Structure formats: C-alpha cells, structure tokens
Amino acid sequence: MTARFVGREADRRALDALWAERSAHAAQVLVISGLAGVGKTSLAAHWLHEHADSFPDGQLYADLGGRSTLADDDPVSPATVLEAFLVALGASSVPNGTTQRSALWRSTTSGLRLAVLLDNAFTAAQVRPLLLGTPTGLTVVTSRNNLTGLRIDGASVHRLEGLPTTSAVELLAVGGGTRVAREPSAAREVVRLCGRLPLAVALASAQLALRPHRPVSALAESLSRGRGAVEALRVDGEAVMLTALDMSYGVLPDGSRALYRRMGLLPADRHDLSFLTALADDSEGPGVEGPGAEAPGVVDRAEAADIAVNALLEANLLEETGPGTYRFHDLVQPHARRLGEEEALELPGRRERTLRRFVDWCLATAASAEGILTPSHRLAGHDLPPSAAATATPLDGPAEALTWLDTYRNVLMGAVRLSARLGWHDSCWRLTDLMWPLFLRLRPSQMWIEAHALGLEAARRSGVRQGEGRMLTSGAIGLRNAGRYREAADWYRQALEVAMADGDVRQQAQALSGLGHVGLLAHRLDEARGHFEHALRLRESIGYRRGAALTRRRLGETALAAGDLAMAAEQLRRAGTELDALGETYEATRVLALLGHVLDRDGDPDGGERRLREALARFRTGASRSEHWEARCLEWLGQAAETRGDREESVRHYEAARALLRRLSPEDAQRLDERLRQP
C-alpha cells in the first residue's frame, strides 16, 4: 500500500454497496470513472485487495491503454488481453479471432471466483469481449470515460471525485511535513488549486519535499499564477495533468471540442443547457427571433448541443450538477480557458460573439426571473435586444426563478464584471438592475455592493439618468444592509438630487424612503418619520399604490421602534390590505410577519403567533421564499415562546434562526449565540 492512498472510506463503502446488490444469476461489472489523476486505479486495486478472500481463484489485471491517443500507441485490443488472460489460466492453445477467444474465456472462467481489473478502458466496445460469463466472478473497470454503454451489460458506475479537503491536506503533508500544519490556510488553498485530485496533490507534496525551506504559501502563490496547477505540476519536466487533459480533449468529437473551447472563455462556474445550445451554434446571426420560436434548425441545434454536452460528460470533462446544469472541474476550467484563448487569438470575432451571447443570455433570463418575482420593478423603456430574448432559459414559476438566480448568482456577477471590463455599459447597469430579486431575496451583500458600484459607473458613462438613479437607490440598500449607513445616506442623497433635477417624483420618493430607513436603523426616529411621511405624500400624489403601501410598512416599523404598538399595528394592517389587493405576495408576507410580531408584543400572543407561523410557512417555499425573513420569523417566534415561559420551544426557534443567519448575517447569528447562552 502507498502513502498516497488516503481518504477513500466513503468510496469504498459505495463500492461495497454496489457489490452487495449483485445478481445471483448474472456476472457483475463495476465501473470506476473519473478525471485523470483522481485515483481510480488506486481505489480499485486497494478495494480488490481488501476483498481478496472473496476471490480464491485469483485476480487478473490488464492495462487497456485508454490514456493514449497516439497512433503508434493505440489502446490495447481485446484480443491481445484475452490471449494473456487465457494463457495465465493455463489454456494450452488460444484461438485466433476475438470472438473465439471471448467464448473460450467465458467457458474457462465459468464457475470461478475470480476478480478481473481492466484498467484505463477507452470504450465499452473494448471492454465487452473481456467480461466474465459467471455470477461468481467480478469485473472492475476504470476509465476516464463513464462507459455508459456497459450499462446494457448490467454494469454499475461509480464516479470518483476529488479527495475530501482534510484527506488532501493529509496527503500534502507527506512531503510538506510540519509546514502544512503551520500554514493551514495556505495548505487548503494548495489542495483547492489542485482540484483535490490525488495526483496533483501528490505532485505538489513532492515539490515541497524537494524544497524543504519553501513556505506552503509560496507554493500556493505559484500555483495561482499563469495557467495554474495544470501546467505547474510536473514529473521529469512533463506537465502530466496538462498531458492527460490534452489527451481527453483530443478524442472528443469536433462539436464537443468547439463547445469546450467557447465555454472556457466564459467567467462562469455553472453552465445552462439552454445557453449551451445557443453557444454551440457559431452562426453570425442572432438566432431564433423569440423564445420558443419554431425556426428552421432549432431542433437540430438543440440536438447537436445535447450530443456535444453528452460527450463532455462521458469524458468526465464536465459534471452535471442538476437538471440542465453543468460545471467544469476546478482543474479542467483553466485548460478549457487556455484552448479558448488560443483560438481567440486566431479568430477574435468568435470570442466577441461568444461573450456577447453569454451576456445576452444573462440579461434575458434575469429579465424573465424579474418579471416573475418582482414584476413591478421592471424599468419601462429599456427593452432587451432580440438577440438576448432568443437565448433565455425558460423559468416555470417563482420557485424555479428564484432557484435559477441562486444557482447562477456567480455567473451573473461574472457577466456584470465582464460587461464593465469590455465597456458594454448598457449591459452592465441593466443586468445589475435586472438582478434585483436576487439581491432582495438572497441578500449577497458584497456582490450587491460591487455590482451596483460597477453599474453606477456604467450608467453614468452611458448617460442614462434613469439607470443612474436606479443604481444609486438600489445600491444604497446594499450598503445599508451591510451596516454602512453613512455611505448609504450619501447614495440616497445623490439619487434625490438626480430625481429632483429630472422632475422624477417617483424616484424622489424612493430616495426619501431610503433616507428614512437609514434614520430608522440609526434610531433617529423623528428624522425617519419625517422622510417617510414626505415619501408617502409624493407617492399618493402620483397614485403609486404599491409605493404608498410600502411606506406605510416603514411607518409601522418606526412606530414599533418608538413603542407605539397601536399605531404600528394600524399602519401595518393598512399596508397589508393594500399589498394583498395588488397581488404583492412577497411584500404582503413581510408585512404579515411584522404585524404578527407587533401583536405578540401588544398582548395578543395567539393572534401574533398565528400570523408569524403563517408567514414562516410562506417564506419557506413558493413565491415568497426568503431565508432572511424565515430567520426573522423564527427569532420572533422564539421571543414569543420565551415571553410565555416555554424555554424549550424558544431555544428550538433560536437555534433554527441561528443556523440560517450563520450564512446570511454572521453578526445576527452572534447576537443569537449570546441570547442562547443566557440561562
């Protein structure tokens, strides 16, 4: 056994479970697939060694050469392997043809308790003649491909991932020694840059062993530069990971290679099948003229994209993370980027076309999500180009729209940064504006602030005053939520100046409402009330019912902070009634939760808790889903239980709220920690 084999307990248990499901009447085949360097052969060999007693008739091994793509070093033919196996089992003569050898192989092994390891298989067709014909034996196959064709032969497939981080760090310490323990953060960064692949981590460990005085942080910095671990980690001067990925890429169909290169150009950690269909088509035109249009060739393009994606999945160069959602392995991404950049040097127009389609898809699908989740937020007069509408991913209802925003939040932010860098100013601020339901529901504070800073600069550069005002007011909310009240107030004042200069009453009210909220959070209640009442008058003067209802909610919160619970309940009831009438489900649910909290504090615990539980159920699913407000409801329910003396229930609610807030708002989670420590 080698020191390199660590951290595969879960995988060994998975193989045990698959083996236990074997049929008493059919030969069993286990396929272990995975990226080059993930440790497939080591796992198979160690697992078979652990079960050696189950195979008293022995174990046979053959390297099928599936790693090679060179003409003078082709994958090993089944006939050659069969000859070696038959001779090893004592055959006195071996037939010439593959079919005859396979038949003799099956009859010879019939009834034997034999294990066969077929390493580095290339295709299912290469493996099929080598399969045992007896249920008493076992064939284990390793391959960089998934060999899905073997499923018709009853094969079970186990896809091997990278090591757990702790195990990868343990492997790094084989060569790094005590330096790894002294620099835990740097060690975790090294294994991350190595994709937690055993081969890459072992090479990094060897580099540390060769340079015993080199800090782990220096290695991490080295691996993060240029083209990363794929090219930096070498054996005898050869970049083994690069060679392995080049080989896997080299045997792909042309369409898959083209898609791989274009995907590599994108600042994305997730890929959507609807977009990949548009990306796979390299025609000059914008494509279909509307979502779902039955244009000639649409079905053909979708089928071609599906075939290209399936080939990448089969080669383990792409991972499926959900329905129609894919990602590159951390080490595959820089390889795809390198190939994409090399092609872009020769065909710069293709690069721009690829990136434009990417940003258009982000714009179109974000607009669809906005229309479903926050339709009243839509900015009139700023329609998307037809090319963007053509690539939108279909979203079926609020839950799917919010899930899409959550899944692709980093992709959308990558598109905002890309648009800012390329000078696509309209796309930059428009995409930031369309991401509003993402910011509102999921509250990624740093992303919120960065996107609006870029969007504000872009709106000003493009000279769009509406966009500038939108970026100022929405961006100020992000600053406010991050506790940066002074900066938030400054952004709101700038927005107010822009709105007054343009005579935009609606935006004036928005800025005043924001200034009121900053005053409320700073507990300057008279100032807050004055701003909110001014905003309410403006909104009512233009018939903006939704805005007026939201302002009444803020007035209710101000009254709550001042201890005027009767006034708070009155304002919240009026706000809730209006929002319900307008079909504003999410906003109405927020008001319902606040009203429940107010009633509980005002001596109506039954009415308060009933409303809080109703709001909690809504925040957990559907159109009103919000983890932030779910946590607030749980905390208020905890307070209600504590008031009536039910310590056990209050602790349960506080702990559930804290679990959510640890990710959403560490400061609030710490506050709940302190509350839970109280006797």
Side-chain angles (χ1 to χ4, degrees):
M1 301 298 144
T2 66
R4 182 175 297 177
F5 190 77
V6 296
R8 290 300 189 190
E9 290 78 9
D11 294 293
R12 294 204 295 267
R13 288 195 297 271
L15 293 178
D16 287 342
L18 290 174
W19 188 36
E21 296 172 0
R22 63 188 180 278
S23 168
H25 308 290
Q28 189 178 27
V29 183
L30 296 180
V31 177
I32 302 174
S33 78
L35 198 63
V38 78
K40 301 180 292 294
T41 303
S42 293
L43 173 62
H46 281 75
W47 186 77
L48 285 172
H49 177 80
E50 290 173 352
H51 295 283
D53 292 345
S54 300
F55 307 108
D57 294 314
Q59 298 186 19
L60 294 175
Y61 171 86
D63 186 342
L64 302 187
R67 295 172 295 188
S68 177
T69 60
L70 302 178
D72 59 349
D73 191 18
D74 291 332
V76 179
S77 71
T80 301
V81 177
L82 285 167
E83 181 179 25
F85 280 176
L86 289 167
V87 170
L89 292 179
S92 56
S93 62
V94 178
N96 288 327
T98 300
T99 302
Q100 292 79 7
R101 289 181 180 182
S102 182
L104 178 59
W105 164 247
R106 290 176 181 249
S107 62
T108 300
T109 58
S110 178
L112 293 182
R113 297 172 64 188
L114 180 72
V116 177
L117 175 53
L118 303 176
D119 202 14
N120 297 311
F122 187 60
T123 64
Q126 184 192 24
V127 171
R128 195 164 285 117
L130 307 174
L131 297 179
L132 294 167
T134 175
T136 58
L138 172 68
T139 304
V140 178
V141 185
T142 73
S143 179
R144 292 177 187 174
N145 299 321
N146 284 315
L147 301 185
T148 51
L150 286 180
R151 289 185 183 273
I152 64 173
D153 300 282
S156 301
V157 179
H158 177 68
R159 191 177 188 280
L160 196 58
E161 307 286 351
L163 291 169
T165 298
T166 53
S167 300
V169 170
E170 178 186 344
L171 178 56
L172 185 67
V174 172
T178 58
R179 283 172 289 171
V180 171
R182 288 197 303 269
E183 300 181 75
S185 297
R188 288 192 295 272
E189 179 64 6
V190 167
V191 301
R192 186 192 70 80
L193 291 166
C194 290
R196 296 180 289 107
L197 295 186
L199 175 59
V201 176
L203 292 174
S205 179
Q207 286 199 7
L208 290 174
L210 286 171
R211 301 177 65 178
H213 301 293
R214 188 186 196 191
V216 181
S217 57
L219 176 59
E221 183 180 355
S222 173
L223 295 179
S224 66
R225 291 197 302 264
R227 290 172 178 169
V230 169
E231 294 195 17
L233 298 173
R234 296 172 177 263
V235 175
D236 296 331
E238 179 186 357
V240 291
M241 288 304 305
L242 177 60
T243 300
L245 290 172
D246 281 345
M247 288 180 173
S248 294
Y249 169 80
V251 297
L252 291 171
D254 290 345
S256 296
R257 287 203 299 269
L259 183 59
Y260 183 79
R261 294 190 301 269
R262 292 168 200 160
M263 291 168 68
L265 293 172
L266 306 179
D269 64 349
R270 290 290 187 277
H271 298 277
D272 178 285
L273 183 59
S274 295
F275 170 62
L276 294 181
T277 299
L279 191 62
D281 174 26
D282 192 47
S283 61
E284 295 285 350
V288 190
E289 290 300 321
E294 296 296 332
V298 174
V299 176
D300 292 343
R301 290 201 299 273
E303 183 178 355
D306 194 51
I307 291 171
V309 168
N310 283 339
L312 292 171
L313 290 169
E314 182 72 19
N316 281 304
L317 292 173
L318 200 62
E319 302 172 11
E320 187 173 44
T321 59
T325 305
Y326 309 92
R327 70 176 292 271
F328 280 134
H329 186 278
D330 291 343
L331 281 186
V332 173
Q333 176 77 53
H335 182 258
R337 185 184 306 119
R338 175 179 67 86
L339 294 175
E341 288 172 349
E342 288 175 357
E343 181 183 50
L345 292 175
E346 300 176 9
L347 301 167
R350 180 172 292 170
R351 177 195 185 99
E352 182 171 351
R353 199 155 61 243
T354 295
L355 296 178
R356 184 71 261 177
R357 285 180 177 177
F358 167 66
V359 172
D360 281 351
W361 170 74
C362 290
L363 284 163
T365 316
S368 177
E370 181 202 45
I372 293 169
L373 293 166
T374 54
S376 61
H377 184 262
R378 179 60 53 88
L379 191 58
H382 293 276
D383 295 331
L384 299 178
S387 60
T391 60
T393 295
L395 300 174
D396 185 15
E400 189 169 305
L402 192 58
T403 297
W404 183 87
L405 288 171
D406 194 7
T407 301
Y408 290 95
R409 61 168 75 186
N410 293 330
V411 175
L412 292 168
M413 191 62 220
V416 170
R417 295 187 187 112
L418 175 70
S419 297
R421 187 171 68 251
L422 296 179
W424 295 348
H425 302 309
D426 283 334
S427 296
C428 182
W429 78 261
R430 281 290 287 126
L431 181 55
T432 300
D433 189 51
L434 291 169
M435 290 164 62
W436 172 245
L438 164 65
F439 300 130
L440 179 66
R441 302 291 186 89
L442 304 175
R443 296 178 178 253
S445 58
Q446 292 306 116
M447 181 185 295
W448 191 331
I449 294 168
E450 181 190 355
H452 283 84
L454 294 173
L456 177 59
E457 178 67 17
R460 284 172 170 167
R461 286 180 177 272
S462 61
V464 180
R465 300 278 287 181
Q466 273 188 304
E468 182 181 356
R470 259 305 193 32
M471 293 299 96
L472 284 166
T473 52
S474 299
I477 298 173
L479 290 165
R480 182 195 71 202
N481 289 346
R484 294 161 62 172
Y485 298 149
R486 182 172 297 180
E487 294 170 81
D490 179 60
W491 278 46
Y492 280 130
R493 291 189 190 97
Q494 290 182 59
L496 183 58
E497 291 173 5
V498 170
M500 292 181 70
D502 294 343
D504 189 334
V505 175
R506 181 163 168 162
Q507 276 297 93
Q508 290 176 46
Q510 183 74 9
L512 286 164
S513 181
L515 286 168
H517 197 186
V518 171
L520 173 60
L521 292 170
H523 212 70
R524 299 191 298 270
L525 301 184
D526 290 339
E527 174 190 317
R529 189 180 301 108
H531 285 310
F532 288 141
E533 289 174 348
H534 190 182
L536 180 60
R537 289 194 297 272
L538 290 176
R539 285 172 166 172
E540 288 182 333
S541 73
I542 59 173
Y544 182 23
R545 294 170 60 195
R546 178 181 182 275
L550 294 178
T551 305
R552 291 193 181 281
R553 173 198 150 196
R554 292 299 187 202
L555 284 167
E557 290 177 302
T558 306
L560 171 62
D564 189 347
L565 300 178
M567 177 59 71
E570 179 186 342
Q571 293 285 12
L572 291 171
R573 283 194 173 96
R574 291 184 65 180
T577 299
E578 184 73 354
L579 290 168
D580 278 329
L582 292 170
E584 290 282 348
T585 306
Y586 173 69
E587 295 295 350
T589 305
R590 295 209 289 180
V591 170
L592 179 67
L594 281 162
L595 179 59
H597 176 55
V598 167
L599 292 176
D600 176 67
R601 288 189 54 183
D602 198 28
D604 182 8
D606 292 339
E609 287 194 47
R610 177 170 54 80
R611 287 170 172 82
L612 282 170
R613 292 184 186 279
E614 181 182 348
L616 177 63
R618 292 190 198 176
F619 285 131
R620 283 176 165 166
T621 186
S624 298
R625 185 163 75 86
S626 169
E627 290 185 338
H628 170 79
W629 276 87
E630 180 184 349
R632 292 189 71 175
C633 284
L634 286 166
E635 183 175 1
W636 286 335
L637 283 167
Q639 291 175 12
E642 190 172 1
T643 299
R644 67 171 187 270
D646 191 338
R647 176 65 178 170
E648 183 178 345
E649 183 173 345
S650 71
V651 167
R652 180 167 57 84
H653 287 312
Y654 288 147
E655 288 179 342
R658 181 181 60 182
L660 290 167
L661 291 171
R662 278 178 174 161
R663 179 167 53 84
L664 299 171
S665 176
E667 290 182 3
D668 288 329
Q670 185 176 3
R671 175 173 48 77
L672 281 174
D673 280 335
E674 294 170 358
R675 188 155 200 157
L676 284 164
R677 281 195 291 268
Q678 296 174 1

